Amino acid sequence: MHPTRSLLTLTTLLTMLAALFAASPATAADRTAAASRTTSAWLHDALRVDTADLLSRSDLVLATAPWRADQAVPLANGELGAGVWAANGWTAQLNRGDTFPELKSAGQLVLPGLYDLSSAEDYRGRLSLHDATLTQRGNGMTVRSYVRADADQLVVEVEGADPDKQQTAELGLWQGRTPTVWAHGDTAVVAETFTDESNGRSTGQLAALTAQARDVRAEVVDDLGVRLKFRPGADGRFRIVLGVPSWAGEDVARSAAAATRLPSKPQRNHLDEWHRYWEGAAPMRLDSADGSARYFEALRAMQLYVAKASSGGAVPASHGGVTSLWSSYRDDIHWSSDAWWHFNLRQPVWANLGAGTADQNDPYFDLYLDRVEEMKAWTRKNWPEADGICVPEFLVYDGTAEACVSSMEPSWLNRILSTGAELVENVRLQSDYTGDRDLLRRAYPLLEGVAEFYLSVLEEGDDGRLHLHHVNALETQWDTTDPTPDVAGMRTIFPFLAEVTKEHGDVRLAEQIEAAIPRLPELPTTVRDGKDVIAWSATDEEDHNTQNPDLEAIWPWRVVGAEDQIAHDTFTTRVFDQTREWASDAQQAAWLHRADDMVDLLEQGTSDFQVFDNGFAAHSKNHDPLRGGGFYDTWNAVVASTVQDALVQDDHGTVRVAPSIPEGWSVTGTVQVPGGHRVSVEVRDGEPTLVGIEAGSRDRLTVANPWPGQRVEVRDARGRLVEHGSGDVLRFATTEGASYRITPAGASYRFVALGGSAAQAPLELGSRTYGVATSTPQVVSDAVRVLAPSKLRAMLRAQEGAPIYADRAYVVDDLPDELAGTIMVRGANDDSKVVSEQYLTLEIAEPTTVWVAFDDRGEGVWWPRWLTDGGWTRTSSTLGTTDRQMVLFRKEVPAGTLTLGGNSGVSGQGGSSYVTFVREP
């Protein structure tokens, strides 16, 4: 991998260039001509990039504190992660990626003393992707938070606190958990182990909390939590350290001491590692008049941040497209926590290849290569009539599966065979992009096993060809013959498998594969909308999911492409139009050189899926972010791969430049291609102006002429002519480590380094936001506290625009005058059918007035009896919301504990949950 050529020596370089210009007198006309020349960031041998400035364009900007859990800011090192938001002053949920089988959280850290910062009128926050650090400022305070890249610790550094005001740090879990809690001196611990009953394996984690401050005292609060009390230093500074290593029940005191040990400058190694990563990642700047390109640049940058932040463990941190390392939803995990769908792992793999960050694919390959023997044993047991390895679409962490069972009928996952083909292809691509031949040697047992399996399940038909029967076309079509993903996959991987088995000395297997190649079935076809198109499979089974198996022939298999009419017709008549966050429609459009379709799909997909302000997506279209469901990283990986493929494609050995960059876009960026070559391209208004290549290997490179019909020159870093011509392609030899510049003959450029200005506000694309633009502040009141349930403890000030539920995005849109400025306790719509005499418990400091607003649909149907029997008076006022019109009830209550019942009085019935308002005396 080539590191990006940074600007560490740019000042010196520019000084030398300025001296050269000064030594040669120039006329006004000369200077005007120079200023009008096309600019370029390529200088001598590389694209010159101010990496920090470029990335700052994509920083996650917090214009207001992220009060909601769905706005949590992600911090992680691949093994430990944290989602940070402003609830209760400042909250972080800590999560490890290896606490199988349920990936239970290590707990939530709350710093109530930071409420003054989070609620400040001058609050500003920024997640620096370059530094992997969240910085928040307000009310004279500054907080820097990061999960150390070199240790499993969350570090929170605070400046500007009142030196004389006692602070607390609270760490706790919730009902249903059974941790060990411990406190001694200045350290407190919450720890727990977990046993997987299906296999007897144990995992665990220990969360050890300490503070670098004055008068630190640790205490146990209850059987679920601990607390630190301390005073900031005389200079107003303090530092919180929360170490969360894996733990198997060892001595708590020794484990806690090791977990909280901190070097004198803990951020130094953290920053060094992240800066090295970014210097090695391929840079990219995207601009367009409507701002959409800039938005996609930010989503790509966030994806590269996520790739690094989630890849430090032994297995991928993403399960079903959801990375739980920065979850803010307690122990709620969407989909499976102990297993992986391969279909949701492939998008980040592709993005990393083009981005020059292929090292971040290591956990993906480790997941499968470390379990080859287990998969082989699973196949012997569950598909005994086959040889080799059936790679399951759904693989559990212990090497077992919920697929590849021949005695079971086809289903969602069972009998999907193309997973093995994809894994083989990704091994090949990883080796081609990085030159890692050791990976091929390590992966050989897998490659051999997949080849043997396919050969053993193929059946000769009456046409003399080899066919697959009773297998699935992804999850879409079950019990088919010759699914397109498998046919395209076999046609792609079999020549590679023949070559690698021959190199390994397995002549017999190589001959079997070679003999099978000419007998593989053709891609199945059908007629759709009067056009000949690729079919899902050779049989016409009903659909079960919304993947497009036919489009797999375009990408990832590339057996048809932009020059094939059937590929275009298949794409334009596709049955399912980008239905989920994992859909590759935009990337397939890029490979077909359909630039306008690509942009439309990127914009529509972002509108449909990227519902979270922190840049993450949901699984379904227009998902309500307050309903949780997990932060999906798959869509950003699709965006990253798509814009990379739009800029540079390796089309079966021919490098194509800007094949799908639309008119009006200006792009400067780099994409890695097979051979380890890094191809930098500069585009102005959709037209390429310069191509630079940093060669990753000794090779003979073929490049499609970026300026068809024009005379083009290829020059090395010394300016020597290497190749020239006006033909369709350019071919020239490369030397590892050398650089080459491709330009129209006679072109000249004015040097301007690639950089940018830091984002100052959240980015917007239609209704979507990258960054936190709005969030209703939590209120801390001496008049009322919520004792239960804990999900409703964050109270708000009643005002129009305030969300009325803790788990839905509906807001107040017509507030009666009598409720203006009251304290609002939101409802929870997930609890709308709760029938109970005790649901909401409030602690009231002084006698006051309380209102409850009930869904008007429940009158005479499911309204609870406590509402009518408990002294509540119906008023003539109603509360207007974007959900329902709600009827107001009022009651005068004394100081003390006030308990309200559930939302419903009839089992199984209920509408929207009630909302409570309390007047402050």
Side-chain angles (χ1 to χ4, degrees), residues 269-531:
N269 290 342
H270 170 78
L271 293 178
D272 286 348
E273 182 167 331
W274 272 96
H275 293 174
R276 282 194 302 271
Y277 169 73
W278 286 117
E279 291 299 328
M284 188 171 293
R285 174 170 173 156
L286 306 170
D287 290 289
S288 60
D290 62 1
S292 61
R294 166 79 179 275
Y295 201 95
F296 302 140
E297 174 191 335
L299 295 186
R300 176 184 182 267
M302 175 57 78
Q303 173 57 30
L304 299 191
Y305 171 82
V306 165
K308 168 67 174 171
S310 63
S311 65
V315 292
S318 176
H319 299 258
V322 179
T323 299
S324 60
L325 284 175
W326 34 77
S327 171
S328 54
Y329 299 111
R330 295 191 170 184
D331 294 327
D332 183 25
I333 301 291
H334 204 203
W335 305 115
S336 175
S337 57
D338 65 348
W340 293 264
W341 281 264
H342 183 271
F343 191 80
N344 303 95
L345 293 175
R346 61 188 198 162
Q347 297 87 354
V349 170
W350 300 336
N352 284 330
L353 291 173
T357 56
D359 287 352
Q360 310 312 312
N361 290 335
D362 287 351
Y364 164 82
F365 290 111
D366 290 344
L367 171 66
Y368 292 98
L369 299 184
D370 289 347
R371 292 163 179 78
V372 165
E373 292 304 317
E374 288 87 345
M375 291 190 293
K376 188 177 294 185
W378 180 268
T379 305
R380 278 197 305 268
K381 178 181 177 181
N382 294 285
W383 206 309
E385 61 272 29
D387 299 325
I389 297 173
C390 178
V391 179
E393 172 61 19
F394 189 80
L395 179 65
V396 182
Y397 79 101
D398 62 3
T400 60
E402 292 185 18
C404 291
V405 180
S406 64
S407 60
M408 290 175 53
E409 290 298 311
S411 61
W412 292 105
L413 301 170
N414 194 41
R415 292 182 178 267
I416 295 176
L417 305 188
S418 55
T419 305
E422 284 198 51
L423 184 54
V424 169
E425 175 68 354
N426 287 341
V427 168
R428 184 187 71 81
L429 290 173
Q430 182 86 357
S431 178
D432 285 353
Y433 274 72
T434 64
D436 185 359
R437 303 295 296 179
D438 288 339
L439 176 64
L440 293 182
R441 285 186 283 273
R442 179 188 174 201
Y444 184 76
L446 172 76
L447 306 180
E448 176 189 47
V450 171
E452 291 174 339
F453 180 79
Y454 264 122
L455 291 173
S456 68
V457 297
L458 284 165
E459 299 178 22
E460 184 175 0
D462 293 340
D463 58 358
R465 291 187 176 271
L466 302 174
H467 298 278
L468 292 173
H469 297 291
H470 304 298
V471 294
N472 289 12
L474 303 179
E475 291 185 23
T476 300
Q477 202 180 30
W478 303 354
D479 200 13
T480 72
T481 293
D482 294 340
T484 286
D486 289 280
V487 173
M490 290 187 294
R491 286 183 163 273
T492 301
I493 68 169
F494 271 32
F496 164 68
L497 288 172
E499 177 184 341
V500 76
T501 51
K502 192 177 299 182
E503 289 178 357
H504 201 267
D506 195 339
V507 176
R508 181 193 60 81
L509 182 56
E511 289 175 346
Q512 289 178 319
I513 298 169
E514 289 174 336
I517 291 174
R519 302 175 64 199
L520 291 173
E522 299 289 344
L523 285 175
T525 60
T526 188
V527 176
R528 202 157 55 220
D529 296 345
K531 299 176 181 179

Side-chain angles (χ1 to χ4, degrees), residues 744-786:
S748 62
Y749 304 87
R750 179 167 56 89
F751 172 71
V752 176
L754 178 60
S757 299
Q760 297 301 312
L763 301 180
E764 295 181 355
L765 182 66
S767 62
R768 296 305 176 209
T769 302
Y770 175 83
V772 178
T774 61
S775 192
T776 305
Q778 182 179 336
V779 172
V780 175
S781 173
D782 294 331
V784 58
R785 268 195 322 135
V786 178

Side-chain angles (χ1 to χ4, degrees), residues 160 550 604 637 713 731 745 808:
D550 47 350
Q604 187 61 54
E713 296 178 343
R731 293 185 175 89
R808 301 290 190 277

Side-chain angles (χ1 to χ4, degrees), residues 526-592:
T526 188
V527 176
R528 202 157 55 220
D529 296 345
K531 299 176 181 179
D532 292 330
V533 299
I534 301 168
W536 292 347
S537 71
T539 52
D540 187 21
E541 309 299 333
E542 64 179 344
D543 58 85
H544 296 270
N545 204 338
T546 59
Q547 300 151 316
N548 288 306
D550 47 350
L551 298 189
E552 299 279 297
I554 300 168
W555 178 264
W557 294 114
R558 296 182 294 156
V559 295
V560 293
E563 70 283 358
D564 299 305
Q565 187 60 44
I566 195 171
H568 291 273
D569 290 341
T570 302
F571 179 81
T572 58
T573 64
R574 63 194 183 279
V575 176
F576 301 113
D577 188 3
Q578 197 168 251
T579 61
R580 300 289 185 186
E581 95 296 341
W582 38 248
S584 294
D585 301 39
Q587 191 173 6
Q588 287 149 349
W591 276 96
L592 293 177

Side-chain angles (χ1 to χ4, degrees), residues 73-104:
V73 177
L75 302 171
N77 66 9
E79 292 185 325
L80 175 67
V84 179
W85 70 109
N88 303 311
W90 189 98
T91 297
Q93 178 169 314
L94 282 298
N95 311 284
R96 287 191 61 86
D98 56 5
T99 54
F100 298 118
E102 296 181 291
L103 293 183
K104 289 187 175 180

